[in-house]
Amino acid sequence: MADITVRPMAADDAARVLAIYQAGLDGGHASFETSAPTWAAFDAAKLPAHRFVAVDGDDLVLGWIAVSPTSTRAVYAGVVEHSVYIDPAAHGRGAGRLLLDAVIASTEAAGIWTLQSGVFPENTASLTLHQRAGFRIIGTRERVGCHDGRWRDVVLLERRSPAIT
């Protein structure tokens, strides 16, 4: 992890962020989506203060994390859903944990008390990563959506901030 740092995501990272997103989608266990959005759609859907990239010593983006609001209702202002994607060539190097730590710090500083994510049960690396970062499994939503012609389960994970009560 010494050669990996985390910094805020910038518009100049768009091509690399979307390529990593697409690589995750192509793997079949990242999302119900099948193609990455345009940068304009991505940018509009993610909260600007909570987007980060993990980069190597040459500033090559190895992965990213971003959050989206779960609802427009004021009562849910402290609850966000996050996505984290790592370049397949960078798996196992610690970028995912660094990104989760960065988004936990930034969301807590902003008064956000709950991070949540839905993960396919087959994505055991993501489930392990999240649990090691303090997320707990809430439950499994069985056959919640159809993906490539097959019904898929989704494991719902959340992390409640111990600093925000």
Side-chain angles (χ1 to χ4, degrees), residues 2 30 44 52 54 61 66 87 90-91 94 104 112 114 116 125 128 134 147 157 159:
F52 299 95
V61 175
D87 184 325
H91 284 180
I104 288 167
I112 294 171
T114 301
Q116 68 182 35
T128 299
H147 180 250
L157 298 140
R159 181 189 181 279

Side-chain angles (χ1 to χ4, degrees), residues 7-11 13-14 17 39 42 48 51-53 64-66:
R7 63 168 172 76
M9 185 185 295
D13 299 319
V17 165
W39 180 252
F42 180 96
R51 300 184 222 183
F52 299 95
V53 291
W64 61 269
I65 194 165

Side-chain angles (χ1 to χ4, degrees), residues 86-162:
I86 306 300
D87 184 325
H91 284 180
R93 293 179 54 193
R97 181 57 189 263
L98 291 172
L99 288 165
L100 275 173
D101 289 348
V103 89
I104 288 167
S106 76
T107 54
E108 282 187 345
I112 294 171
W113 58 84
T114 301
L115 287 169
Q116 68 182 35
S117 190
V119 177
F120 288 138
E122 297 85 357
N123 193 343
T124 56
S126 183
L127 292 171
T128 299
L129 168 68
H130 281 87
Q131 288 178 296
R132 287 182 180 161
F135 286 76
R136 68 184 180 107
I137 294 175
I138 300 299
T140 300
R141 300 180 71 201
E142 296 176 354
R143 297 174 42 91
V144 72
C146 193
H147 180 250
D148 288 335
R150 122 181 162 182
W151 288 96
R152 303 285 300 265
D153 295 347
V154 172
V155 177
L156 182 60
L157 298 140
E158 78 170 13
R159 181 189 181 279
R160 294 283 178 101
S161 171

